Amino acid sequence: MRIREINAMRGPNYWSVRRHKLIVMVLDLEEMEERPSNSIPGFKERLEAIFPTMYEHRCSVGEPGGFFQRVEEGTWMGHIIEHIALEIQSLAGMDVGFGRTRGYGEKGVYNVVFAYMEESVGRYAAKAAVKICEALANDEPYDLSDDIQQMRELREADRLGPSTGSIIEEAEARGIPWIRLNKYSLCQLGYGANQKRIQATVTSETSSIGVELACDKEDTKYLLEQAQVEVPRGDIIKKESSLEEACRYVGFPLVIKPVDGNHGRGITVNIRNYDDALKAFRNAKESSRNGIIIVEKFITGEDYRLLVINHVLVAAAKRSPAHVIGNGVLTVQELIDEVNKDPRRGFGHEKELTQITVNELTKTILKDAEYSLESVLPRGVKLILKDTANLSTGGTAEDVTDILHPANISMAERISKIIDLDICGIDIMTTDISQPLSETGGAVLEVNAGPGFRMHLAPTTGLPRNVAAPVIDKLFPKGNNGRIPIIAVTGTNGKTTTTRLIAHIVKMNGYRVGYTTSDGVYIQNRLLMKGDCTGPASTEFVLKDPTVNFAVLECARGGLLRAGLGFKKCDVGIVTNVASDHLGLKGIHTLEQLAKVKGVIPETVLPNGYAILNADDDLVYEMRRTVNCNVALFSMDENNPRIKALQRLNGITAIYENGYVTICRGEWKMRVMKAEQIPLTFGGKAAFMIQNVLPAILAAHVQGISIEDIKAGLDSFIPSASQTPGRLNLFEFKNFNILLDYAHNAAGMRALQKFTDSMETTCKVGIIAGVGDRREEDTNAIGSIAAEMFDEIIIRQDKNLRGKTEEQLIKMLEDGIKAIDQNKKTVVIRSEKEAILHAVKTAKKGSLIVLCSDVIPDALEMVTSLKEKEMRGEALT
């Protein structure tokens, strides 16, 4: 068995639009194809032995044990690998359950699809599942423990922390989209100009001065003292020589910590003599960047964390450091092991609590307390194992929000404004949080920017608090979801022109538009990325841009199959058509399968949005059955029964009627413009351009753009190298014309043929090429249509070989040409540049050279250069 390809789906995909995080593995079973599970002696028993919990897998049988039943009856290894990949992720603490295995279209090759929580873990699980299955089939031993631990470590390295994760979950619950901006905790909530950012629990609205103050414990303490907030007496020192005097001034017991410390690093508490103070000072120095150390009075009592969001107290918790309580029988290590058996404790942040680990700090604390890991702890003795109460080191938390004294609440809210933090964690030491600090002798120890939420989200005891909700309330008040309008366009032909036209109309209406095309990514018509930019990475580029408040996104088959979409929902989804192109790639072998891929776009439209479908295309029209939104139709025939049916239901349609492009609400017509007056249609001669106009004007209309503004957009959208590069770019020379077009499949060539047939010329010369990743019959068809279109044909073949040789592609084109006309004048000039020069040099007066190019920038540069030479009176060489 071998893995041909592994892709991660981060957005909707053709397997299931409801699943947003899937691994898609192309698995070639090779010789294992001939060995179903029931043909391998002992396979089921070995599988049950290593994965006893797989009994819960219902599989297609629909009941517990269903998967093992399938294994016993006989199933292919790809199906088994799917279930193993799910199971080992679950064993590593990631409960995932969705999976599918389907044929790829080649014997012994399968698409294996399964869910993941973290992409790195999903990819690891795919590879490990294949190894495990091979070992089981060959009756070889396999130890899962290394894989499980490796997946846990990958998850902890890549996952969002509990605080960031809780904010993201709350955002998702409210329909607010998000994008992770780096491999750490920096995330974007919302899109484009409406975005907000978070990094852990610091937001894009958090005061930088507030963060600096909170990180400077000296300044924090000074401001709080000035505001009459109870803080412990203390001193700030930098040199070891100042320590003794500071200890005398503060008095034992005391605490020593770095001014710029965080997460408990470098802090030593309950110091009772100078020698210990010296050790603590040096420890704090090692953890400090600026070397400034706080020496302050050690306040006795319990450790409390008060959380204030948007200057309102939302939660409070009592924190206890990791500890064990003796029973007079078990050793300290055995007591730790017992505590770690709590099902709520896990590795890292995978559960509410973290397992207690023994490190050098723990051993030092034990030694200072005159214990060791082998000591039997007397009954009832509580032994502290860590020097801070952080949950990440095994501590526990008890929610005390409801017993907080009003004076303490008021004090906490005041502190958040004094330090100027929108999200603020306040550490307090007191004997009784239900009484004012002034009465208990307690004190505020620290103010934290970016406080952790974990202790409030899942306290060890007490009521969990949804502290992420007030963060979202602050960032997105009054139900704002941070979205910007998104129009997504897909189809086989016409999608780039449709995308560009919509973007132009929208821009003319005052929006700051970002759009993606097969030519590149544009922000307000400024090209920022070159190349085929129709995948999710390009989409995210637009949605991340803080200047964009409207997105128009071309979405091609390749990106959908490779990595899904860069968004989950759009406002308008357009499908222009479905025709034979790219078949035989990535498991897509039929038009029906290709339509299912394209159909993902309308399936992602929001319920109040519109799927705009081509009523003249049977496969596109069928997509209306799988959408959960409004449907609008367009047609080149106003009498199309499908159009008439929707009009009778008072639906929205766009039609070509009596020479006009017209929008209809019900049966009421709103004529937008005469087609022959729309520059893009070349006087109405380019029927396929009229077809591109119809979904564009529908999209603009349902987005609230007026007919007058739509008309202005159509009137100013001029077909040219700048606005429609490679789409019917006509260059007029003195003795001939050159027409540059991206026609690259049979349907596109047929549309181009209808247009060129309407042009008066003395001779038509076609420059054509094949593309290596197309089926042989598709390349043959290009040659056959060219034989019908042109008087002379030049075959060039210097680009896009994609797995085939130049000779193979040239022969396919020649076979297609000869099938129509054995005597068609044909010449092979492999270089596109040389082919263009040959056509120009040999052009007859009044002839039309049609350049069908799939690398538009190069072709445009060449033709433009020739035009400039002619204008300067130079020879066209």
Side-chain angles (χ1 to χ4, degrees), residues 552-571:
V552 187
L553 309 170
E554 180 182 345
C555 303
R557 167 209 59 89
L560 279 165
L561 293 174
R562 183 176 61 256
L565 293 171
F567 60 89
K568 288 186 178 179
K569 294 292 181 181
C570 61
D571 299 273

Side-chain angles (χ1 to χ4, degrees), residues 151-217:
M151 285 191 288
R152 282 175 169 167
E153 291 176 7
L154 284 172
R155 177 200 59 210
E156 291 304 304
D158 292 354
R159 76 188 300 185
L160 293 172
S163 301
T164 311
S166 69
I167 297 172
I168 295 299
E169 287 177 11
E170 182 66 23
E172 284 191 321
R174 302 189 191 192
I176 298 169
W178 67 282
I179 300 172
R180 190 169 184 174
L181 298 177
N182 64 12
K183 65 179 182 179
Y184 303 108
S185 58
L186 181 62
C187 295
Q188 173 184 316
L189 303 178
Y191 287 150
N194 294 333
Q195 67 179 266
K196 304 289 185 180
R197 292 184 180 182
I198 60 168
Q199 183 162 279
T201 60
V202 175
T203 78
S204 50
E205 297 185 358
T206 298
S207 162
S208 59
I209 292 177
V211 173
E212 286 190 20
L213 282 174
C215 292
D216 189 326
K217 294 176 174 56

Side-chain angles (χ1 to χ4, degrees), residues 7 171 235 273 302-303 377 427 452 526 612 723 802 825 849 856:
N7 291 313
D235 197 5
N273 56 65
E302 302 285 357
D303 182 355
L377 200 60
D427 292 339
R526 187 178 295 277
I612 297 177
Q723 286 196 309
R802 298 180 185 179
K825 184 177 180 180
I849 300 169
I856 298 302

Side-chain angles (χ1 to χ4, degrees), residues 20 199 210 224 306 314 376 382 415 440 513 542 570 603:
H20 299 297
Q199 183 162 279
L224 294 182
L306 278 53
V314 297
V376 174
K382 181 178 179 179
I415 289 171
T440 63
V513 185
V542 169
C570 61
E603 288 176 12

Side-chain angles (χ1 to χ4, degrees), residues 485-521:
I486 297 175
I487 297 177
V489 184
T490 194
T492 301
N493 293 309
K495 53 186 180 292
T496 300
T497 301
T498 303
T499 297
R500 285 180 170 275
L501 177 55
I502 294 170
H504 177 75
I505 295 171
V506 169
K507 181 176 178 291
M508 292 282 290
N509 207 48
Y511 287 97
R512 298 185 301 279
V513 185
Y515 60 99
T516 65
T517 71
S518 55
D519 308 317
V521 177

Side-chain angles (χ1 to χ4, degrees), residues 645-685:
L646 185 58
Q647 288 176 346
R648 286 193 293 271
L649 295 173
N650 206 37
I652 302 176
T653 57
I655 55 176
Y656 178 51
E657 53 87 27
N658 292 319
Y660 286 88
V661 291
T662 300
I663 295 173
C664 302
R665 279 191 170 268
E667 297 181 345
W668 291 100
K669 293 180 179 178
M670 296 176 285
R671 284 180 171 170
V672 180
M673 199 170 179
K674 213 170 181 59
E676 65 183 28
Q677 295 174 348
I678 301 173
L680 187 61
T681 71
F682 286 84
K685 294 176 182 178

